[in-house]
Amino acid sequence: MVLLLTASPGQAADVETHGFLLLNYSGRMTDDRPAQSDSDFLLGEERLRLDVSVWADEIEASARFKGDLFHDSVDDETELDMREAYVDYATDKVDLRLGRQIATWGVGDLLFINDVFPKNWVSFFSGRPLEYLKIGVDGARLRFSGEMINADVILIPFFTPDTLPTPARFFLYDPLAPVTTRSETKPASTYDNSELALRLYRRARDFDVAAYLYKGFWRSPGMRPDDFTAPTQIELFYPELYVYGASAQGNAFGGVLSLEVGYYDSRDDRDGNDPTIANSQSRFLIGYQRQLKQDLTLGLQYYTEIMRDYDQYKQTLPAGFAVQRRSRDTVTLRLEQLLRHQTLRLSLFTFYSPADDDYLIQPKMSYQFSDELSATLGANFFGGNKKTTFLGQFDKNDNIYLSVRFDF
């Protein structure tokens, strides 16, 4: 629906509104319940989305609001989730965006190296649509388009952590679970603590190449007990992090080849002697995607992260804590098939870590009944030999979900 409004005498602003109603339910597939939950459901939501765009060609400016009003039936709460709200101003070579916005960088498929922006892992592990994996940041983005090179600069004065699963709805490994007195300290909103992300990119032969720089903080907190031998309280905090990286993506071997590297410089523990802070690490990714036949697509990725100062890590790790491997790798597989004039989508995405011997399998089926009405049925199957590995700890959180969406 497009309306024409008068912005000022002699000028006009176009307004476009969209939205949808989304019903999203996710149920457990085991009889087990976390100690802090008595519900058979991980999710029970009704969402109403309003998406409003306004633009005026005369002044090359636009604005957008995208927000959800939703009811959470598991906690019986109703809240407003402001996904994005920003103003754009464009000139010949420079674009400026100010406000809440979602940023996405890098070339990985659900594996992130230089995409250091906040994510909602509760959404990802419980069956919300994929767009809810990303969380908006409040800041400013400046984009420069040049003949030799392009650049994006994002300034984020207000820190936003990842949204991580909690014992309220998930089974999790927590070596300090008996300590329930916990506090969280986020980086103060000061000029010095403002996050800064830079991407330089251009086309080089058949590849899109990019270099990245990030100055900010780990999105997942460190855990600092008041006493390692007899802790009574824990502080959750976010150590300083710099990331340096690069990527390339282009046509090769009949498909699309993706390469990405990154170095995570853990600034608050550069010697690896503090067991409460993640060590510095190197990360690598190679991916390949191609169409096997019409409407059937295959994607493969290999990802690994290698911890620096591993000897110091093992020497300072407190007794009773699980020892991580120095190198942890992951292999992913994506298969997607479109059927019935592309109204039916069958997809399978799997994560498997040879190092940790754990996995996540995500089958999904979506059907488009009409231009307005669609439905998705999917599942998350977790597994692993140890409850201390990243995916193995979710072993009892298998779930099946159904979402129905009506667009208007």
Side-chain angles (χ1 to χ4, degrees):
M1 180 172 54
V2 178
L3 302 175
L4 193 65
L5 301 179
T6 299
S8 65
Q11 294 183 340
D14 292 315
V15 180
E16 187 173 286
T17 62
H18 297 285
F20 58 75
L21 175 64
L22 176 67
L23 312 178
N24 206 165
Y25 306 101
S26 175
R28 304 181 192 279
M29 298 180 70
T30 69
D31 294 330
D32 299 314
R33 306 288 177 271
Q36 299 181 26
S37 173
D38 60 357
S39 175
D40 288 336
F41 294 91
L42 282 169
L43 283 181
E45 290 183 347
E46 299 85 34
R47 287 180 175 263
L48 179 63
R49 162 70 58 84
L50 180 62
D51 187 343
V52 182
S53 298
V54 184
W55 67 95
D57 293 333
E58 291 82 357
I59 57 175
E60 297 182 327
S62 62
R64 186 173 189 180
F65 171 84
K66 186 191 295 184
D68 290 5
L69 178 66
F70 73 96
H71 175 248
D72 179 351
S73 299
V74 176
D75 288 339
D76 194 19
E77 295 178 343
T78 300
E79 297 184 24
L80 175 64
D81 178 12
M82 189 171 71
R83 303 287 299 161
E84 293 185 277
Y86 57 78
V87 175
D88 279 339
Y89 179 72
T91 65
D92 183 28
K93 292 188 175 181
V94 177
D95 297 344
L96 174 65
R97 173 169 293 178
L98 184 64
R100 177 165 295 184
Q101 54 197 287
I102 290 176
T104 298
W105 287 356
V107 297
D109 183 5
L110 298 178
L111 292 173
F112 306 100
I113 295 180
N114 293 293
D115 186 337
V116 292
F117 306 106
K119 301 169 185 67
N120 186 330
W121 295 107
V122 174
S123 292
F124 185 68
F125 291 146
S126 57
R128 282 196 190 104
L130 193 56
E131 72 165 284
Y132 291 97
L133 172 61
K134 301 303 295 285
I135 302 173
V137 294
D138 298 317
R141 187 202 69 192
L142 186 69
R143 172 170 293 169
F144 170 77
S145 301
E147 295 181 359
M148 295 295 295
I149 199 165
N150 307 302
D152 282 348
V153 180
I154 299 180
L155 178 66
I156 308 172
F158 309 102
F159 176 77
T160 301
D162 282 351
T163 301
L164 301 173
T166 69
R169 300 197 188 192
F170 288 86
F171 289 96
L172 298 171
Y173 167 68
D174 183 349
L176 300 174
V179 185
T180 58
T181 303
R182 303 187 176 203
S183 61
E184 182 183 31
T185 303
K186 295 181 182 177
S189 300
T190 63
Y191 295 134
D192 288 343
N193 283 345
S194 294
E195 300 169 68
L196 183 65
L198 169 66
R199 177 176 66 159
L200 302 174
Y201 56 101
R202 61 162 295 167
R203 186 78 175 170
R205 294 184 180 275
D206 294 331
F207 280 77
D208 295 317
V209 298
Y212 307 87
L213 170 66
Y214 169 74
K215 165 195 168 296
F217 302 89
W218 290 93
R219 299 286 178 191
S220 299
M223 298 174 62
R224 179 175 289 140
D226 56 344
D227 187 330
F228 274 113
T229 56
T232 61
Q233 56 184 349
I234 293 172
E235 179 194 12
L236 305 179
F237 65 104
Y238 299 87
E240 191 175 19
L241 173 69
Y242 284 16
V243 179
Y244 318 95
S247 70
Q249 186 175 61
N251 297 325
F253 310 113
V256 177
L257 179 67
S258 301
L259 303 167
E260 189 167 354
V261 298
Y263 179 70
Y264 279 51
D265 183 2
S266 192
R267 304 280 294 186
D268 288 338
D269 185 30
R270 302 188 84 173
D271 296 326
N273 293 320
D274 188 340
T276 67
I277 299 176
N279 282 20
S280 298
Q281 54 187 242
S282 301
R283 300 186 179 190
F284 306 91
L285 178 144
I286 181 170
Y288 178 71
Q289 178 178 314
R290 69 173 299 172
Q291 191 170 25
L292 298 179
K293 62 179 185 178
Q294 185 174 6
D295 294 333
L296 177 59
T297 303
L298 166 72
L300 297 168
Q301 294 179 115
Y302 178 79
Y303 164 90
T304 186
E305 53 189 48
I306 302 172
M307 184 190 303
R308 283 182 57 94
D309 304 308
Y310 189 65
D311 290 340
Q312 288 89 332
Y313 160 77
K314 290 196 298 183
Q315 290 171 6
T316 58
L317 189 69
F321 281 60
V323 180
Q324 297 181 30
R325 289 177 174 270
R326 179 174 183 268
S327 174
R328 178 180 179 276
D329 55 358
T330 299
V331 178
T332 73
L333 164 69
R334 177 184 290 278
L335 276 174
E336 286 201 354
Q337 172 74 70
L338 296 174
L339 300 167
R340 299 178 66 87
H341 305 290
Q342 299 187 345
T343 57
L344 175 61
R345 179 188 298 270
L346 304 177
S347 69
L348 174 69
F349 198 95
T350 66
F351 299 83
Y352 173 67
S353 172
D356 289 344
D357 194 19
D358 59 4
Y359 61 86
L360 168 60
I361 302 173
Q362 296 179 311
K364 185 166 64 177
M365 176 176 64
S366 301
Y367 187 70
Q368 192 80 32
F369 293 95
S370 66
D371 289 343
E372 296 81 17
L373 183 63
S374 61
T376 299
L377 178 66
N380 291 291
F381 298 105
F382 302 90
N385 284 330
K386 297 180 180 178
K387 296 180 180 179
T388 57
T389 61
F390 179 67
L391 292 175
Q393 66 179 318
F394 292 98
D395 189 30
K396 294 182 179 179
N397 295 294
D398 292 353
N399 60 81
I400 184 171
Y401 60 87
L402 171 66
S403 64
V404 179
R405 172 169 163 162
F406 180 79
D407 289 79
F408 57 87

PDB file of all heavy atoms in Angstrom, residues 213-230:
ATOM      1  N   LEU A 213      37.891  -4.712   9.760  1.00  0.00           N
ATOM      2  CA  LEU A 213      38.495  -4.347  11.047  1.00  0.00           C
ATOM      3  C   LEU A 213      37.367  -4.070  12.024  1.00  0.00           C
ATOM      4  O   LEU A 213      36.398  -3.382  11.688  1.00  0.00           O
ATOM      5  CB  LEU A 213      39.379  -3.099  10.901  1.00  0.00           C
ATOM      6  CG  LEU A 213      39.875  -2.458  12.200  1.00  0.00           C
ATOM      7  CD1 LEU A 213      40.837  -3.397  12.920  1.00  0.00           C
ATOM      8  CD2 LEU A 213      40.551  -1.116  11.922  1.00  0.00           C
ATOM      9  N   TYR A 214      37.497  -4.617  13.221  1.00  0.00           N
ATOM     10  CA  TYR A 214      36.483  -4.370  14.265  1.00  0.00           C
ATOM     11  C   TYR A 214      37.176  -4.068  15.578  1.00  0.00           C
ATOM     12  O   TYR A 214      38.113  -4.754  15.980  1.00  0.00           O
ATOM     13  CB  TYR A 214      35.585  -5.597  14.425  1.00  0.00           C
ATOM     14  CG  TYR A 214      34.696  -5.531  15.656  1.00  0.00           C
ATOM     15  CD1 TYR A 214      33.588  -4.688  15.703  1.00  0.00           C
ATOM     16  CD2 TYR A 214      34.975  -6.305  16.783  1.00  0.00           C
ATOM     17  CE1 TYR A 214      32.781  -4.622  16.830  1.00  0.00           C
ATOM     18  CE2 TYR A 214      34.178  -6.243  17.912  1.00  0.00           C
ATOM     19  CZ  TYR A 214      33.081  -5.399  17.934  1.00  0.00           C
ATOM     20  OH  TYR A 214      32.289  -5.327  19.055  1.00  0.00           O
ATOM     21  N   LYS A 215      36.709  -3.045  16.249  1.00  0.00           N
ATOM     22  CA  LYS A 215      37.164  -2.696  17.595  1.00  0.00           C
ATOM     23  C   LYS A 215      35.946  -2.671  18.500  1.00  0.00           C
ATOM     24  O   LYS A 215      35.009  -1.897  18.274  1.00  0.00           O
ATOM     25  CB  LYS A 215      37.839  -1.323  17.611  1.00  0.00           C
ATOM     26  CG  LYS A 215      38.032  -0.726  18.995  1.00  0.00           C
ATOM     27  CD  LYS A 215      38.352   0.737  18.926  1.00  0.00           C
ATOM     28  CE  LYS A 215      38.270   1.408  20.292  1.00  0.00           C
ATOM     29  NZ  LYS A 215      36.922   1.399  20.877  1.00  0.00           N
ATOM     30  N   GLY A 216      35.941  -3.556  19.493  1.00  0.00           N
ATOM     31  CA  GLY A 216      34.772  -3.599  20.368  1.00  0.00           C
ATOM     32  C   GLY A 216      34.933  -4.599  21.482  1.00  0.00           C
ATOM     33  O   GLY A 216      35.976  -4.607  22.173  1.00  0.00           O
ATOM     34  N   PHE A 217      33.945  -5.497  21.618  1.00  0.00           N
ATOM     35  CA  PHE A 217      33.917  -6.421  22.741  1.00  0.00           C
ATOM     36  C   PHE A 217      33.374  -7.773  22.295  1.00  0.00           C
ATOM     37  O   PHE A 217      32.621  -7.868  21.326  1.00  0.00           O
ATOM     38  CB  PHE A 217      33.017  -5.861  23.860  1.00  0.00           C
ATOM     39  CG  PHE A 217      33.442  -4.514  24.350  1.00  0.00           C
ATOM     40  CD1 PHE A 217      32.961  -3.351  23.740  1.00  0.00           C
ATOM     41  CD2 PHE A 217      34.342  -4.397  25.398  1.00  0.00           C
ATOM     42  CE1 PHE A 217      33.364  -2.101  24.187  1.00  0.00           C
ATOM     43  CE2 PHE A 217      34.749  -3.152  25.837  1.00  0.00           C
ATOM     44  CZ  PHE A 217      34.263  -1.998  25.232  1.00  0.00           C
ATOM     45  N   TRP A 218      33.766  -8.840  23.054  1.00  0.00           N
ATOM     46  CA  TRP A 218      33.157 -10.149  22.840  1.00  0.00           C
ATOM     47  C   TRP A 218      31.658 -10.018  23.083  1.00  0.00           C
ATOM     48  O   TRP A 218      31.236  -9.362  24.033  1.00  0.00           O
ATOM     49  CB  TRP A 218      33.740 -11.187  23.798  1.00  0.00           C
ATOM     50  CG  TRP A 218      35.163 -11.574  23.541  1.00  0.00           C
ATOM     51  CD1 TRP A 218      36.263 -11.021  24.097  1.00  0.00           C
ATOM     52  CD2 TRP A 218      35.632 -12.616  22.682  1.00  0.00           C
ATOM     53  NE1 TRP A 218      37.406 -11.637  23.633  1.00  0.00           N
ATOM     54  CE2 TRP A 218      37.048 -12.630  22.762  1.00  0.00           C
ATOM     55  CE3 TRP A 218      35.009 -13.551  21.850  1.00  0.00           C
ATOM     56  CZ2 TRP A 218      37.845 -13.525  22.048  1.00  0.00           C
ATOM     57  CZ3 TRP A 218      35.799 -14.443  21.139  1.00  0.00           C
ATOM     58  CH2 TRP A 218      37.187 -14.432  21.239  1.00  0.00           C
ATOM     59  N   ARG A 219      30.844 -10.667  22.248  1.00  0.00           N
ATOM     60  CA  ARG A 219      29.390 -10.617  22.424  1.00  0.00           C
ATOM     61  C   ARG A 219      28.899 -11.604  23.479  1.00  0.00           C
ATOM     62  O   ARG A 219      27.787 -11.462  23.992  1.00  0.00           O
ATOM     63  CB  ARG A 219      28.691 -10.946  21.098  1.00  0.00           C
ATOM     64  CG  ARG A 219      29.022  -9.980  19.969  1.00  0.00           C
ATOM     65  CD  ARG A 219      28.346  -8.655  20.131  1.00  0.00           C
ATOM     66  NE  ARG A 219      28.719  -7.745  19.048  1.00  0.00           N
ATOM     67  CZ  ARG A 219      28.451  -6.448  19.048  1.00  0.00           C
ATOM     68  NH1 ARG A 219      27.784  -5.908  20.066  1.00  0.00           N
ATOM     69  NH2 ARG A 219      28.840  -5.682  18.057  1.00  0.00           N
ATOM     70  N   SER A 220      29.684 -12.648  23.759  1.00  0.00           N
ATOM     71  CA  SER A 220      29.337 -13.606  24.810  1.00  0.00           C
ATOM     72  C   SER A 220      30.159 -13.261  26.050  1.00  0.00           C
ATOM     73  O   SER A 220      31.350 -12.973  25.945  1.00  0.00           O
ATOM     74  CB  SER A 220      29.636 -15.042  24.364  1.00  0.00           C
ATOM     75  OG  SER A 220      28.875 -15.372  23.220  1.00  0.00           O
ATOM     76  N   PRO A 221      29.557 -13.314  27.233  1.00  0.00           N
ATOM     77  CA  PRO A 221      30.266 -12.827  28.417  1.00  0.00           C
ATOM     78  C   PRO A 221      31.288 -13.822  28.961  1.00  0.00           C
ATOM     79  O   PRO A 221      31.166 -15.030  28.787  1.00  0.00           O
ATOM     80  CB  PRO A 221      29.128 -12.625  29.417  1.00  0.00           C
ATOM     81  CG  PRO A 221      28.113 -13.648  29.024  1.00  0.00           C
ATOM     82  CD  PRO A 221      28.174 -13.731  27.515  1.00  0.00           C
ATOM     83  N   GLY A 222      32.299 -13.271  29.634  1.00  0.00           N
ATOM     84  CA  GLY A 222      33.150 -14.075  30.489  1.00  0.00           C
ATOM     85  C   GLY A 222      32.487 -14.221  31.849  1.00  0.00           C
ATOM     86  O   GLY A 222      31.620 -13.438  32.231  1.00  0.00           O
ATOM     87  N   MET A 223      32.889 -15.273  32.583  1.00  0.00           N
ATOM     88  CA  MET A 223      32.309 -15.532  33.913  1.00  0.00           C
ATOM     89  C   MET A 223      33.418 -15.419  34.950  1.00  0.00           C
ATOM     90  O   MET A 223      34.373 -16.191  34.916  1.00  0.00           O
ATOM     91  CB  MET A 223      31.673 -16.922  33.958  1.00  0.00           C
ATOM     92  CG  MET A 223      30.516 -17.108  32.994  1.00  0.00           C
ATOM     93  SD  MET A 223      29.904 -18.812  32.965  1.00  0.00           S
ATOM     94  CE  MET A 223      29.363 -19.013  34.652  1.00  0.00           C
ATOM     95  N   ARG A 224      33.276 -14.462  35.872  1.00  0.00           N
ATOM     96  CA  ARG A 224      34.312 -14.255  36.885  1.00  0.00           C
ATOM     97  C   ARG A 224      33.726 -14.509  38.277  1.00  0.00           C
ATOM     98  O   ARG A 224      32.951 -13.682  38.792  1.00  0.00           O
ATOM     99  CB  ARG A 224      34.861 -12.836  36.809  1.00  0.00           C
ATOM    100  CG  ARG A 224      35.935 -12.540  37.866  1.00  0.00           C
ATOM    101  CD  ARG A 224      36.510 -11.159  37.654  1.00  0.00           C
ATOM    102  NE  ARG A 224      37.333 -11.090  36.460  1.00  0.00           N
ATOM    103  CZ  ARG A 224      37.346 -10.066  35.614  1.00  0.00           C
ATOM    104  NH1 ARG A 224      36.546  -9.035  35.832  1.00  0.00           N
ATOM    105  NH2 ARG A 224      38.131 -10.072  34.545  1.00  0.00           N
ATOM    106  N   PRO A 225      34.065 -15.665  38.891  1.00  0.00           N
ATOM    107  CA  PRO A 225      33.580 -15.929  40.264  1.00  0.00           C
ATOM    108  C   PRO A 225      34.398 -15.146  41.284  1.00  0.00           C
ATOM    109  O   PRO A 225      35.551 -14.772  41.030  1.00  0.00           O
ATOM    110  CB  PRO A 225      33.793 -17.435  40.411  1.00  0.00           C
ATOM    111  CG  PRO A 225      34.916 -17.752  39.485  1.00  0.00           C
ATOM    112  CD  PRO A 225      34.824 -16.795  38.338  1.00  0.00           C
ATOM    113  N   ASP A 226      33.800 -14.906  42.456  1.00  0.00           N
ATOM    114  CA  ASP A 226      34.539 -14.207  43.506  1.00  0.00           C
ATOM    115  C   ASP A 226      35.619 -15.099  44.099  1.00  0.00           C
ATOM    116  O   ASP A 226      36.599 -14.613  44.660  1.00  0.00           O
ATOM    117  CB  ASP A 226      33.586 -13.709  44.594  1.00  0.00           C
ATOM    118  CG  ASP A 226      32.751 -14.839  45.177  1.00  0.00           C
ATOM    119  OD1 ASP A 226      32.688 -15.915  44.559  1.00  0.00           O
ATOM    120  OD2 ASP A 226      32.155 -14.636  46.249  1.00  0.00           O
ATOM    121  N   ASP A 227      35.458 -16.423  43.964  1.00  0.00           N
ATOM    122  CA  ASP A 227      36.451 -17.371  44.476  1.00  0.00           C
ATOM    123  C   ASP A 227      36.327 -18.658  43.657  1.00  0.00           C
ATOM    124  O   ASP A 227      35.246 -19.255  43.612  1.00  0.00           O
ATOM    125  CB  ASP A 227      36.200 -17.647  45.967  1.00  0.00           C
ATOM    126  CG  ASP A 227      37.300 -18.495  46.586  1.00  0.00           C
ATOM    127  OD1 ASP A 227      37.909 -19.314  45.869  1.00  0.00           O
ATOM    128  OD2 ASP A 227      37.554 -18.338  47.794  1.00  0.00           O
ATOM    129  N   PHE A 228      37.421 -19.092  43.019  1.00  0.00           N
ATOM    130  CA  PHE A 228      37.336 -20.287  42.173  1.00  0.00           C
ATOM    131  C   PHE A 228      37.121 -21.557  42.983  1.00  0.00           C
ATOM    132  O   PHE A 228      36.488 -22.504  42.523  1.00  0.00           O
ATOM    133  CB  PHE A 228      38.612 -20.426  41.332  1.00  0.00           C
ATOM    134  CG  PHE A 228      38.549 -19.647  40.049  1.00  0.00           C
ATOM    135  CD1 PHE A 228      39.370 -18.562  39.852  1.00  0.00           C
ATOM    136  CD2 PHE A 228      37.662 -20.005  39.051  1.00  0.00           C
ATOM    137  CE1 PHE A 228      39.321 -17.843  38.669  1.00  0.00           C
ATOM    138  CE2 PHE A 228      37.597 -19.289  37.864  1.00  0.00           C
ATOM    139  CZ  PHE A 228      38.431 -18.198  37.680  1.00  0.00           C
ATOM    140  N   THR A 229      37.653 -21.627  44.195  1.00  0.00           N
ATOM    141  CA  THR A 229      37.535 -22.858  44.989  1.00  0.00           C
ATOM    142  C   THR A 229      36.199 -22.940  45.726  1.00  0.00           C
ATOM    143  O   THR A 229      35.661 -24.030  45.909  1.00  0.00           O
ATOM    144  CB  THR A 229      38.686 -22.940  46.000  1.00  0.00           C
ATOM    145  OG1 THR A 229      38.687 -21.746  46.818  1.00  0.00           O
ATOM    146  CG2 THR A 229      40.023 -23.055  45.277  1.00  0.00           C
ATOM    147  N   ALA A 230      35.648 -21.798  46.138  1.00  0.00           N
ATOM    148  CA  ALA A 230      34.368 -21.793  46.848  1.00  0.00           C
ATOM    149  C   ALA A 230      33.576 -20.556  46.428  1.00  0.00           C
ATOM    150  O   ALA A 230      33.354 -19.635  47.225  1.00  0.00           O
ATOM    151  CB  ALA A 230      34.582 -21.808  48.364  1.00  0.00           C
TER     152      ALA A 230
END
